[in-house]
Amino acid sequence: MGLRPVWHHFEERVQAHIFICFLSLILQKTLEQGLASRGLGKSTRKVMEELRGLKSMDVIVPTTDGTELKMKVISEPDPALKIILDRLGLKCPKRLKFHSNVVEKITTPPSKNQILNPLLTP
């Protein structure tokens, strides 16, 4: 193949880039076939545009005991997206599981030799 992304300088990165592009093509073709088999045409671009309307939001509600209740909620799909999801046999969840930050927040910039993760101490 005479194909090479100009922004990669190492062979392994070029190969990784081509692999990701190939996977993307396979996913697009699989989605096209799935859409066509369910009577939704072959326009993956239209489906992606409709999916952009689906939003995830973090809701934080203060409680009477001073703590906070954290929830991830999903917006209600618009009618066109609802039809697509129904035809594909998919349901949109009302809420997602909330994961707390896995990385500790740093309030001040780290010093040159500061260990950011205490689990990585020698």
Side-chain angles (χ1 to χ4, degrees), residues 2-122:
L3 179 69
R4 178 175 169 70
V6 294
W7 53 88
H8 294 302
H9 302 290
F10 299 105
E11 183 66 23
E12 62 192 24
R13 290 185 182 174
V14 172
Q15 292 297 323
H17 184 99
I18 293 170
F19 179 68
I20 295 297
C21 292
F22 181 71
L23 286 178
S24 176
L25 176 64
I26 289 173
L27 286 172
Q28 182 175 2
K29 291 300 178 184
T30 302
L31 181 56
E32 282 177 3
Q33 290 175 351
L35 293 173
S37 71
R38 289 169 177 87
L40 293 169
K42 284 187 161 187
S43 179
T44 57
R45 181 168 291 163
K46 180 65 177 161
V47 171
M48 296 304 287
E49 286 173 13
E50 291 295 335
L51 283 171
R52 281 192 192 105
L54 202 56
K55 304 292 182 200
S56 168
M57 298 158 276
D58 294 336
V59 177
I60 301 172
V61 181
T63 61
T64 55
D65 65 358
T67 60
E68 295 176 332
L69 178 62
K70 298 177 183 180
M71 296 179 288
K72 271 197 177 298
V73 295
I74 304 296
S75 63
E76 190 68 30
D78 64 19
L81 180 57
K82 200 169 204 129
I83 291 169
I84 292 170
L85 293 173
D86 287 343
R87 289 252 185 107
L88 291 173
L90 300 172
K91 291 190 180 205
C92 196
K94 298 291 182 198
R95 284 194 286 167
L96 298 175
K97 185 175 181 181
F98 195 89
H99 296 281
S100 61
N101 250 346
V102 293
V103 178
E104 185 178 329
K105 291 184 180 180
I106 300 172
T107 55
T108 58
S111 65
K112 202 176 218 180
N113 296 322
Q114 179 181 357
I115 296 172
L116 297 178
N117 186 341
L119 297 176
L120 298 177
T121 54

